[in-house]
Structures are given as structure tokens and as C-alpha cells.
């Protein structure tokens, strides 16, 4: 059982480049989340989704976009990378509210 | 906007001692979760608390929830080195957002 899978694990981007962080889950969970974790800090919610076709902003959505065309996939898009987006990005999923979320292994992104 | 605060932010404690981590949140919610994160790793679920007065225990860790006080506690009993990690609480808003606390970095020394 793979759970939540994120790719890539590591990436270095130049300022102004764009990229998509991939997240897929095989647990048939409706709810999916994207967080960023800056060094030594807590997790900040970027975007979340409660089902295919439904997305909503979290605490720090600026500079990011998401889509949810299938239950399994929830990609996060960075359009114009900035040094402030250097962080570790975590994707998580859960079956619904009232349940624990399961996390992927994270993507470590550096913008130079 | 929901704020979730933990204290202390950093805790250095001796093996065998007891201590409590506090998680305060700013809006009404009766759903709270505790997670553990080892350095350089992802998050692992520890406890799910779904009602006022809920108490869960696993080994040397015990979590409780007081929704009226908007407070959850994570109590550590007779700490051991293996408990060294960062602990996060997370609060489930009615909008299905899952908001995390600031984290408490625990270091247990001999």
C-alpha cells in the first residue's frame, strides 16, 4: 500500500522558473491538502480540496495554484518561483473530516 | 482566523521526568489531532481526539481535549530518548481546513 506519494523528492529551481509538485494517493480519500514547512517552523496550509473539482485557499495561497481533476491526484503549481518559496512541501490526505490525515514524504524545494 | 499555539516551543528534559505540552486554539472546534515528526522526516499520526473530555494514551504519551477551554495537552510520562522529536497539534475547522500548531521540539537527554 503506497499511501501518499510525492514527486520529486528534491528540486532546485531558478528564480522565475515554474514547476509542478505531484501528489497522488491510493486510499480513495476525498480530502487532500498541501502544506509548506519552513526550516524549524510549523506547517502552513497552502490549498486544500474536499473532492474532485473542489479546491479552496488555505493560510498562504499566494504564488501557488492547484487543481483536482481526479480523486487520486492533487498537483501544486508554482508559476514564478521566488526565494521565499524555498521550503519543504508536504501533501496529505484523509477520507473525510473527523479522521487523521496521512502525509507524503515531502518535496524539498530550493529556489536560487 | 484560526490560530493554534503550542507551548513550549522547545523542551529539553531529562530521561525519567514528566512534562506536559499545551495546545491552545482560538475558535470553536471539537476535533484535534497530535502528530510526531522526526528530523528530516514526514509526519506520523499519534492521537485523534473527537470530543470534549476525550483522552487517549499510547505508551508514555497521553493526550486530552477540553473544547470549552479550547485546550489540548500532551503529557509525557517518564521520558526516554526515543521520544525526542517535534510534536504538532492540529485543529480541524468546520470548513474542513486542518490547521497546525507551531510545534514543540522535544529533546530528551540522559
Amino acid at each position: 500500500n503506497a499511501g501518499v506519494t510525492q514527486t520529486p523528492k528534491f528540486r532546485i529551481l531558478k528564480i522565475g522558473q515554474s514547476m509542478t509538485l505531484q501528489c497522488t494517493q491510493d486510499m480513495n480519500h476525498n480530502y487532500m491538502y498541501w502544506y509548506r514547512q519552513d526550516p524549524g517552523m510549523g506547517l502552513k496550509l497552502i490549498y486544500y480540496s474536499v473532492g474532485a473539482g473542489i479546491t479552496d485557499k488555505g493560510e498562504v495561497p499566494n504564488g501557488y495554484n492547484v487543481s483536482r481533476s481526479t480523486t487520486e491526484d492533487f498537483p501544486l503549481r508554482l508559476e514564478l518561483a521566488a526565494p521565499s518559496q524555498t521550503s519543504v512541501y508536504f501533501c496529505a490526505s484523509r477520507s473525510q473530516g473527523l479522521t487523521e490525515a496521512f502525509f507524503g514524504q515531502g518535496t524539498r524545494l530550493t529556489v536560487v | 482566523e484560526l490560530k493554534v499555539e503550542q507551548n513550549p516551543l522547545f523542551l529539553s528534559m531529562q530521561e525519567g521526568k514528566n512534562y506536559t505540552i499545551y495546545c491552545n486554539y482560538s475558535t470553536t472546534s471539537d476535533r484535534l489531532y497530535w502528530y510526531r515528526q522526526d528530523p528530516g522526516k514526514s509526519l506520523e499520526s499519534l492521537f485523534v481526539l473527537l470530543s470534549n473530555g476525550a483522552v487517549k494514551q499510547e505508551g508514555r504519551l497521553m493526550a486530552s481535549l477540553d473544547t470549552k477551554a479550547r485546550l489540548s495537552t500532551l503529557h509525557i510520562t517518564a521520558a526516554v530518548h526515543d521520544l525526542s522529536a517535534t510534536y504538532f497539534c492540529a485543529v480541524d475547522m468546520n470548513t474542513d481546513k486542518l490547521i497546525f500548531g507551531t510545534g514543540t521540539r522535544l529533546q530528551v537527554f540522559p
Side-chain angles (χ1 to χ4, degrees):
Chain A
N1 190 354
V4 180
T5 302
Q6 292 183 236
T7 56
K9 287 186 170 52
F10 303 93
R11 182 74 185 265
I12 298 175
L13 274 184
K14 293 185 178 178
I15 295 171
Q17 286 185 321
S18 61
M19 77 164 293
T20 299
L21 281 66
Q22 302 291 345
C23 176
T24 188
Q25 50 91 10
D26 62 359
M27 299 174 281
N28 201 32
H29 285 170
N30 289 324
Y31 291 18
M32 296 188 75
Y33 302 83
W34 274 107
Y35 293 90
R36 61 175 286 172
Q37 184 177 31
D38 296 334
M41 305 293 284
L43 280 75
K44 291 292 186 184
L45 180 63
I46 304 171
Y47 272 96
Y48 69 106
S49 169
V50 299
I54 306 169
T55 62
D56 207 347
K57 294 178 180 179
E59 302 170 278
V60 289
N62 291 344
Y64 306 94
N65 281 299
V66 294
S67 60
R68 185 93 182 273
S69 57
T70 67
T71 298
E72 295 78 19
D73 300 308
F74 189 39
L76 177 71
R77 177 94 178 150
L78 283 70
E79 290 294 349
L80 290 171
S84 61
Q85 294 177 307
T86 294
S87 191
V88 178
Y89 291 83
F90 287 102
C91 177
S93 74
R94 58 177 178 168
S95 60
Q96 59 184 29
L98 305 183
T99 62
E100 61 192 330
F102 294 88
F103 280 78
Q105 290 306 301
T107 295
R108 185 175 298 273
L109 175 67
T110 302
V111 181
V112 295
Chain B
E1 184 174 324
L2 175 65
K3 291 191 186 300
V4 184
E5 295 180 339
Q6 291 179 232
N7 71 82
L9 297 182
F10 180 75
L11 176 57
S12 181
M13 61 188 297
Q14 195 171 19
E15 280 188 333
K17 298 292 187 184
N18 305 331
Y19 207 83
T20 300
I21 297 170
Y22 297 89
C23 172
N24 292 87
Y25 53 98
S26 62
T27 193
T28 302
S29 175
D30 56 5
R31 300 173 283 184
L32 190 136
Y33 311 85
W34 283 95
Y35 288 85
R36 168 183 172 141
Q37 185 180 38
D38 291 310
K41 302 293 186 182
S42 187
L43 281 82
E44 171 190 355
S45 175
L46 291 174
F47 299 110
V48 177
L49 304 169
L50 298 179
S51 62
N52 185 42
V55 177
K56 295 280 183 72
Q57 183 164 5
E58 179 74 33
R60 300 174 188 274
L61 300 177
M62 183 174 71
S64 66
L65 178 61
D66 181 343
T67 59
K68 294 177 181 175
R70 299 178 184 174
L71 171 69
S72 180
T73 61
L74 180 66
H75 187 71
I76 303 157
T77 302
V80 293
H81 180 73
D82 285 352
L83 291 179
S84 298
T86 299
Y87 293 85
F88 292 97
C89 61
V91 178
D92 205 338
M93 292 182 67
N94 292 332
T95 55
D96 296 314
K97 288 182 181 180
L98 188 58
I99 303 298
F100 278 76
T102 46
T104 296
R105 184 178 163 201
L106 172 65
Q107 191 172 49
V108 181
F109 61 91

